[in-house]
Amino acid sequence: STCPSPFLAFKMDMDHSCDFSESDVEHEDIPPDPALQEICGSEVNTEFSKDMSEVTTVSTMTSFEKVSQGINHVEGGWAKMINADDTEVTARYKKKYLKDEHCQHTVMETASVMEHCNQCKDAEDCFPDLKDEKGVQEMEYEPSARIISMLRDPNKVKRTATSLSWHPLDYHKLAVAYSCLEFQRAPKNMSFDSYIWNIEICNKPEMTLKPISPLVCLEYNHKDTHILIGGSYNGQIGYWDTRSGSQPVQMSATEHSHKDPVYKVIWLQTKIGTETFSASTDGQVLFWDIRNMNEPTKRLVLDPSKKGNRENALGAVSMEFENSMVRAKFLVGTEQGLVVSCNRKLETTDDPIVCMYSGHHGPIYALQRNPFFPKNFLTVADWTARIWSEDIKESSIISSKYHMTYLLDGCWSPVRPSVFFTVKMDGTLDVWDILFKPKDPILNLKVCDEALYSIRVRDKDSLVCCGSQLGTVRLLKMSPDLCTLQKNEKALVSEMFERETKREKILEGQYRERHQMKHSSSVEDEGGKDDMEELLAYTEREFFETVEAEKKKIKDEEKERRSGMFCFQV
């Protein structure tokens, strides 16, 4: 129903006078919602209204004038007796004010608040902006992983999956090398075969590789993806062409090969794509051309004395060469816990060993440069994983905590510069994010009960494959936050590496200074010791000379006394 109610409206004319008039306004009665009435349990009455007024305003445009004026800020400014234009007076006043305890306390409190805000902002910049419907930024960093499939060794006698290599183009193919690394403990009926798997068909391998000796390492050629190079347990090098069958196309001659198992082979990214080099525990790095495998093209002996003596050579376990780097250097991880930086151009240098990095207590099983920052590289050995800078040789810039079990392999994430993976002897996979937790892993996953010997990450995404001691390769799918580049991550990691490198340089300089001071003080102590010994010897000689002189004097006096007594008696 509608009910007319009296209502007043006023108007302002050009002369700013008010004109009141009376008009009628109709109000509508809105009945309650039945659903709300059932919930409330009582009748909702809306039959009430207020008298409203309608206003019509008409005004004339008047001109106005803008005036700019200043204001004198007294609070927080200079004192009344201080002339702000006098630099000498203001400098003395600032110096006096900064010495005030209240001022120092206030500055310290403000600095702590600013530092906390900056840290919070840096932590927020690590992650992309995720906004909900209201525009609030939220990010939950909860890394996780799950096993999606397994590739089992089809042989009855199980062997260790010692090496893994993803196909450069076909991301469904994975080459796995199988071998028994326990010296002289391999069963007689153990198979020598290695396999190429299609991860979508896990029941049986797609292709079999039949070497003369079990393969310890295996790598795809990025130039010609049909070719694989493999290093055998007996020290020979061979390559396969998947178009030619399971037998090796060519093997290296035994007399010119390694004398120990070949633990690492790397392809050189040249125009031809046929050059490779290998590393073994016999202390040699051999360069090969697969077009002629009779003998190596170059030979490098890892002798720290740089004399080329194999008896003093360091056994090579891992190796790293970044093909995108202009510098012709490669890194070799040794059994003795040293990383040796070598020059690849042996024919143009008389000093192939550039420098050495020391810091581990056991064999370095994994060695890899950061794909985004090649000057920094990762090493996995003994109970720790360490990140190094080429500019610091005495110590690593970042190191993990010491674990209870051995670390056997590790690698960087191809999509995130702050993430790397490690596997341990207890069958555990650890995922690290140095921006989030430099000392502890952000994800610890128990993959199996036996030891994990190898790990590789697919370049396309973060699909991780882990090879175990019993020859089972497990494929793990990482959560999206582990395989997505975060906001400002490159800049933050670069800043972190530079900061830690600078810190280690300062510590290294202080260590050298203390060492020189100790050395100089020891030399001074030795010189002072010699002077003291000479003084003691001189004093001893003078003492005994004085004693002898006194004895002689006493004897002479005794003789004179006796002669005088004899004369008196006569």
Side-chain angles (χ1 to χ4, degrees):
S1 64
T2 60
C3 56
S5 61
F7 139 96
L8 295 177
F10 65 93
K11 295 182 179 180
M12 182 180 292
D13 59 4
M14 302 298 291
D15 297 330
H16 304 282
S17 60
C18 297
D19 183 15
F20 296 92
S21 61
E22 189 176 277
S23 63
D24 296 332
V25 177
E26 295 183 357
H27 293 268
E28 183 178 358
D29 184 13
I30 302 175
D33 189 354
L36 296 176
Q37 188 174 5
E38 292 179 0
I39 296 175
C40 297
S42 62
E43 183 178 359
V44 180
N45 186 11
T46 60
E47 294 184 355
F48 63 92
S49 62
K50 290 184 179 180
D51 294 340
M52 307 296 292
S53 298
E54 178 183 1
V55 181
T56 304
T57 305
V58 180
S59 62
T60 58
M61 297 297 296
T62 60
S63 61
F64 60 92
E65 183 181 357
K66 294 182 179 179
V67 178
S68 298
Q69 293 181 352
I71 184 171
N72 183 21
H73 295 275
V74 178
E75 184 180 358
W78 297 103
K80 293 182 179 181
M81 72 288 298
I82 300 298
N83 184 10
D85 297 331
D86 192 345
T87 56
E88 184 177 355
V89 174
T90 54
R92 286 200 302 267
Y93 180 77
K94 286 191 292 184
K95 187 176 180 181
K96 177 182 178 181
Y97 186 75
L98 291 175
K99 290 183 179 179
D100 188 7
E101 295 182 358
H102 177 70
C103 175
Q104 295 177 0
H105 180 70
T106 305
V107 171
M108 293 299 296
E109 287 185 350
T110 308
S112 62
V113 173
M114 292 178 61
E115 184 179 2
H116 174 72
C117 294
N118 288 331
Q119 291 177 354
C120 294
K121 185 179 182 302
D122 292 340
E124 291 175 359
D125 291 341
C126 295
F127 309 102
D129 294 335
L130 300 179
K131 299 183 179 180
D132 56 5
E133 297 177 355
K134 297 182 180 180
V136 180
Q137 298 182 3
E138 294 182 356
M139 178 62 187
E140 294 184 359
Y141 192 42
E142 297 180 356
S144 60
R146 58 186 179 90
I147 300 175
I148 59 176
S149 62
M150 291 188 293
L151 310 175
R152 301 181 185 275
D153 185 5
N155 295 280
K156 293 183 179 180
V157 179
K158 304 302 179 183
R159 306 153 301 161
T160 303
T162 55
S163 180
L164 308 169
S165 179
W166 287 101
H167 194 282
L169 300 178
D170 190 352
Y171 294 109
H172 298 102
K173 290 185 179 181
L174 176 67
V176 184
Y178 296 89
S179 179
C180 180
L181 298 179
E182 297 181 2
F183 181 67
Q184 293 184 349
R185 293 185 181 180
K188 295 182 180 179
N189 56 348
M190 186 186 73
S191 174
F192 292 171
D193 296 343
S194 292
Y195 304 103
I196 298 176
W197 295 83
N198 189 333
I199 61 174
E200 294 183 346
I201 305 173
C202 304
N203 297 331
K204 61 179 180 179
E206 185 178 85
M207 185 176 179
T208 304
L209 305 179
K210 294 185 174 296
I212 300 175
S213 178
L215 292 179
V216 181
C217 53
L218 188 63
E219 289 291 335
Y220 268 106
N221 189 337
H222 288 259
K223 196 77 173 181
D224 187 352
T225 57
H226 298 285
I227 296 177
L228 299 94
I229 190 76
S232 301
Y233 189 80
N234 65 350
Q236 287 183 283
I237 307 294
Y239 81 94
W240 283 259
D241 192 332
T242 55
R243 297 164 293 187
S244 302
S246 300
Q247 298 297 328
V249 177
Q250 196 174 359
M251 297 290 295
S252 63
T254 306
E255 59 272 16
H256 298 295
S257 300
H258 291 282
K259 309 306 177 185
D260 285 348
V262 182
Y263 283 93
K264 189 65 177 180
V265 287
I266 293 179
W267 288 99
L268 293 175
Q269 299 298 323
T270 58
K271 294 181 179 180
I272 304 175
T274 60
E275 296 182 9
T276 182
F277 58 110
S278 58
S280 173
T281 51
D282 63 352
Q284 296 183 99
V285 176
L286 304 181
F287 294 78
W288 305 87
D289 192 330
I290 63 173
R291 295 174 296 180
N292 183 12
M293 299 286 290
N294 293 329
E295 59 180 357
T297 58
K298 304 174 188 176
R299 189 184 300 266
L300 171 63
V301 179
L302 300 174
D303 183 7
S305 63
K306 304 177 182 180
K307 297 180 180 180
N309 188 358
R310 285 184 54 189
E311 295 180 357
N312 300 328
L314 304 173
V317 182
S318 57
M319 190 165 52
E320 163 67 18
F321 179 74
E322 180 61 38
N323 293 286
S324 62
M325 297 181 66
V326 180
R327 294 168 292 179
K329 293 181 182 178
F330 64 95
L331 303 174
V332 180
T334 64
E335 289 181 306
Q336 291 75 14
L338 300 173
V339 177
V340 183
S341 178
C342 304
N343 196 328
R344 183 171 66 90
K345 297 181 179 180
L346 304 179
E347 65 277 359
T348 60
T349 179
D350 297 332
D351 191 6
I353 297 179
V354 180
C355 61
M356 290 186 291
Y357 305 86
S358 61
H360 285 288
H361 308 290
I364 299 176
Y365 294 112
L367 175 61
Q368 186 183 14
R369 294 184 184 271
N370 190 298
F372 297 88
F373 305 98
K375 287 187 65 176
N376 302 98
F377 56 91
L378 170 72
T379 57
V380 175
D382 49 64
W383 303 273
T384 60
R386 299 175 182 268
I387 300 175
W388 303 74
S389 173
E390 285 189 344
D391 300 332
I392 305 296
K393 301 176 179 60
E394 279 73 15
S395 62
S396 58
I397 60 174
I398 300 174
S399 61
S400 69
K401 66 178 183 180
Y402 277 83
H403 296 270
M404 298 301 295
T405 57
Y406 244 59
L407 276 67
L408 299 178
D409 200 5
C411 63
W412 287 100
S413 169
V415 294
R416 292 194 57 189
S418 65
V419 175
F420 66 92
F421 307 87
T422 58
V423 290
K424 296 185 292 188
M425 190 172 284
D426 60 355
T428 304
L429 167 67
D430 290 335
V431 184
W432 304 77
D433 189 340
I434 57 177
L435 287 178
F436 191 69
K437 288 183 179 181
K439 298 293 183 181
D440 299 303
I442 60 173
L443 177 62
N444 182 273
L445 182 64
K446 182 70 173 179
V447 178
C448 57
D449 295 330
E450 67 266 18
L452 293 175
Y453 272 81
S454 55
I455 181 173
R456 288 294 179 273
V457 185
R458 193 166 65 176
D459 293 341
K460 179 182 178 182
D461 49 20
S462 285
L463 183 64
V464 180
C465 57
C466 302
S468 68
Q469 186 178 10
L470 299 179
T472 302
V473 178
R474 291 169 172 84
L475 303 176
L476 295 95
K477 182 67 175 179
M478 298 289 113
S479 57
D481 49 1
L482 291 176
C483 53
T484 305
L485 185 65
Q486 307 298 316
K487 182 180 178 181
N488 297 332
E489 183 174 356
K490 289 184 181 180
L492 292 174
V493 173
S494 176
E495 182 181 353
M496 184 178 188
F497 285 161
E498 291 177 1
R499 181 181 70 249
E500 295 300 323
T501 301
K502 186 181 297 185
R503 182 178 65 86
E504 288 297 329
K505 283 184 179 180
I506 295 174
L507 295 176
E508 180 181 342
Q510 293 178 354
Y511 172 77
R512 288 179 178 177
E513 184 178 354
R514 289 197 300 267
H515 182 71
Q516 291 177 357
M517 292 178 61
K518 288 182 180 179
H519 180 69
S520 60
S521 61
S522 63
V523 172
E524 292 178 358
D525 292 341
E526 290 179 358
K529 185 178 179 180
D530 295 338
D531 296 339
M532 183 61 67
E533 290 179 355
E534 292 180 0
L535 180 62
L536 290 175
Y538 174 76
T539 305
E540 186 177 2
R541 289 195 304 269
E542 186 178 5
F543 172 75
F544 284 112
E545 289 176 358
T546 305
V547 171
E548 292 295 331
E550 289 294 330
K551 286 183 178 180
K552 185 177 180 182
K553 183 179 179 180
I554 293 174
K555 287 182 180 179
D556 293 340
E557 291 178 354
E558 184 69 21
K559 187 182 293 186
E560 291 178 0
R561 188 176 64 81
R562 287 180 180 180
S563 61
M565 290 179 64
F566 178 75
C567 294
F568 179 76
Q569 291 178 359
V570 173

